[in-house]
Amino acid sequence: EVQLVQSGPEVKRPGESLKISCKGSGYSFSDYWIVWVRQRPGKGLEWMGNIYPGDFDIKYSPSYQGQVSVSADRSISTAFLQWTSLKASDSGIYFCARQFCRDYTCYFLFDSWGQGTPVTVSA
Amino acid sequence: EIVMTQSPATLSVSPGERATLSCRASQSVTSDLAWYQQKPGQPPRLLIFGASTRATGVPARFSGSGSGTEFTLTISSLQSEDLAVYYCQQYNHWQITFGGGTKVEIK
């Protein structure tokens, strides 16, 4: 069974750094893109960026380029989303998800999701 | 960036009735359109891909149609467990984008 398990809730102060994680299991971690999606409180879904663990290719949304960093460690089948200096506006729930593949073709849509990591940034 | 616009924002439907949700793209995405269902406190769940193909395990009452810029998700006979927010997502362009969502309420 494919599973993505994310790290737990975080409460941080503005200006602090943060790194959250997403551990994949039940499949070959290197062979599927992982995406990070943000959901602000009571709002919709926003694509932040993707990483392909096989060769560490990364794509960022223009809205998040330079604001966050996406990375992965194949040895522990885990993807990461990192901030160096949080702002209150970074609060929200962050989901990771795995791309969907069928009949040897893969697409940038997502059929397995993590449970979400709530992040609260407040003074 | 391809902008995805969903309507209506909120839809109230009686159990057993049909629910019709719309999604419009700012430019053609051919059939590279997915629909997701998100229930309160849960991550999204893939319902439809390729505009009209149901994902594994999705009940037959969910159907998708459309191509180009206009898409529809239909729930043929609404059940109480279908209370959720539904999102469309285009994957035609590498900068994927989601619609703002339609909240389906049970009347």
Side-chain angles (χ1 to χ4, degrees):
Chain A
E1 178 195 8
V2 174
Q3 279 196 313
L4 296 173
V5 178
Q6 297 185 230
S7 49
E10 300 278 358
V11 179
K12 292 288 189 179
R13 306 273 190 211
E16 291 185 331
S17 63
L18 175 63
K19 190 173 187 178
I20 63 175
S21 66
C22 168
K23 182 174 175 61
S25 62
Y27 72 100
S28 177
F29 184 75
S30 297
D31 294 341
Y32 293 78
W33 286 85
I34 292 284
V35 69
W36 287 96
V37 172
R38 177 186 183 179
Q39 188 163 40
R40 301 177 203 238
K43 300 298 183 182
L45 305 171
E46 301 173 68
W47 170 61
M48 301 177 71
N50 303 339
I51 185 166
Y52 187 73
D55 61 5
F56 303 109
D57 189 13
I58 297 173
K59 301 182 187 296
Y60 288 104
S61 161
S63 299
Y64 288 92
Q65 179 87 47
Q67 308 304 308
V68 297
S69 296
V70 173
S71 61
D73 184 338
R74 291 192 303 240
S75 69
I76 55 172
S77 301
T78 301
F80 301 96
L81 180 64
Q82 184 172 9
W83 296 258
T84 56
S85 181
L86 286 161
K87 303 182 287 288
S89 56
D90 290 321
S91 295
I93 299 175
Y94 293 85
F95 293 100
C96 64
R98 191 196 76 163
Q99 77 170 140
F100 171 73
C101 297
R102 181 178 179 179
D103 297 335
Y104 304 104
T105 303
C106 295
Y107 308 89
F108 276 116
L109 62 131
F110 312 101
D111 64 340
S112 297
W113 291 71
Q115 80 276 21
T117 295
V119 173
T120 302
V121 184
S122 175
Chain B
E1 174 183 303
I2 299 175
V3 177
M4 307 300 292
T5 303
Q6 291 188 241
S7 62
T10 303
L11 186 62
S12 294
V13 180
S14 299
E17 296 295 306
R18 177 186 299 263
T20 303
L21 291 67
S22 296
C23 174
R24 174 177 294 176
S26 60
Q27 64 189 71
S28 176
V29 298
T30 63
S31 294
D32 296 334
L33 192 285
W35 289 94
Y36 298 87
Q37 175 193 63
Q38 188 179 29
K39 296 183 178 181
Q42 296 184 19
R45 171 197 180 195
L46 177 65
L47 292 180
I48 301 283
F49 62 93
S52 62
T53 303
R54 278 189 300 276
T56 302
V58 174
R61 65 180 180 273
F62 292 92
S63 63
S65 63
S67 66
T69 62
E70 300 283 343
F71 301 89
T72 300
L73 175 70
T74 302
I75 309 173
S76 60
S77 177
L78 194 77
Q79 307 297 305
S80 57
E81 63 263 33
D82 300 333
L83 162 71
V85 179
Y86 293 82
Y87 295 96
C88 60
Q89 178 225 321
Q90 67 79 18
Y91 51 97
N92 182 260
H93 190 276
W94 68 269
Q95 292 185 29
I96 63 170
T97 44
F98 292 91
T102 292
K103 183 178 182 180
V104 173
E105 299 180 334
I106 309 299
K107 189 183 290 185

